[in-house]
Amino acid sequence: MYKLLIAPTCFLAASAVFAADKPINNAPSYDFAQVSLVQTEFADIDMFTPKGFEFKASKEFGMNFFGEATYFMADDKTQEVNMDVDRWKVALGYIHHLSNRTVLDGKIGYGEIDIKINDSDNAVSAGTEYFTGEANIRHMITNNLEVYGGLEWQKWDEGSDQKAYKLGTQYFWDSIAVGGEYTKFSDSEVFAAFVRYSF
């Protein structure tokens, strides 16, 4: 999974060098559908590295408001023991345009995470619902290259609250983009390589 992120990042950096002198005509879009290949690592359960998919959709309503929905599923099997991770989140956000190439957004949302570990004889599961607040900044380096970062706080009903930061980049060909993203939570981290369709 790490190799999936290295190649796109190098390609994006090279593209930025060759296109740096072109004028910026578009701000980051909030109308898109996205699918990601993901890998998760947990600090307290390091024997597992669940891999899977994340699906995300976002739609701008007007008046600078937008909605977002995310579904994440990953699993791993080690020594005949299975681990499954499922997570979903819906959020409502507001976009503030700092310039024609830079935007700042804030989101509040609600979600749920479920983790299950089982073998042929036993099963253990844990999960919680949570509220979340998030702020992100997105910047178009060129008309085809975006970089972004964000901070998130999750208030869990059960278990420890989570804090996270996120860094990512993506390269566009018209309405299609490819990119990579890294998210560090308090007790886990997620690596993602994605394809996005903007509409």
Side-chain angles (χ1 to χ4, degrees):
M1 180 61 70
Y2 298 100
K3 294 180 180 179
L4 290 175
L5 297 178
I6 293 172
T9 301
C10 293
F11 174 73
L12 296 177
S15 300
V17 172
F18 291 112
D21 59 343
K22 295 182 179 179
I24 305 298
N25 298 321
N26 57 311
S29 172
Y30 285 82
D31 293 321
F32 64 83
Q34 175 179 305
V35 59
S36 306
L37 293 173
V38 295
Q39 175 178 303
T40 302
E41 297 182 0
F42 293 92
D44 297 334
I45 322 175
D46 55 7
M47 65 181 291
F48 295 103
T49 55
K51 301 175 181 67
F53 297 93
E54 181 183 72
F55 304 94
K56 181 183 293 186
S58 175
K59 176 63 179 172
E60 188 172 352
F61 301 140
M63 301 294 293
N64 291 332
F65 285 97
F66 70 100
E68 184 179 277
T70 305
Y71 178 68
F72 176 104
M73 58 180 182
D75 60 69
D76 191 20
K77 184 175 183 180
T78 302
Q79 299 177 352
E80 303 304 316
V81 180
N82 300 305
M83 181 181 191
D84 294 286
V85 181
D86 289 284
R87 184 176 70 232
W88 62 265
K89 179 175 69 176
V90 292
L92 178 65
Y94 181 79
I95 307 161
H96 177 65
H97 292 266
L98 299 175
S99 71
N100 68 323
R101 68 170 70 183
T102 307
V103 296
L104 177 69
D105 68 65
K107 292 185 284 189
I108 55 172
Y110 177 79
E112 183 177 1
I113 182 170
D114 290 296
I115 300 175
K116 299 177 183 178
I117 300 176
N118 68 280
D119 58 20
S120 58
D121 300 316
N122 301 290
V124 177
S125 63
T128 185
E129 299 174 351
Y130 60 89
F131 290 95
T132 180
E134 186 175 351
N136 301 279
I137 188 165
R138 301 174 60 186
H139 177 71
M140 299 298 298
I141 295 178
T142 72
N143 280 321
N144 302 97
L145 179 63
E146 177 188 334
V147 294
Y148 60 90
L151 299 172
E152 182 178 2
W153 174 74
Q154 296 178 352
K155 174 63 176 176
W156 285 24
D157 287 347
E158 300 180 25
S160 301
D161 295 344
Q162 296 285 301
K163 297 176 182 177
Y165 67 84
K166 172 174 59 181
L167 299 171
T169 185
Q170 57 183 324
Y171 186 85
F172 294 86
W173 291 272
D174 295 323
S175 58
I176 303 295
V178 296
E181 183 176 294
Y182 171 74
T183 306
K184 177 66 175 75
F185 291 94
S186 300
D187 57 9
S188 65
E189 52 190 344
V190 179
F191 303 88
F194 62 83
V195 176
R196 173 179 293 188
Y197 172 71
S198 298
F199 49 86

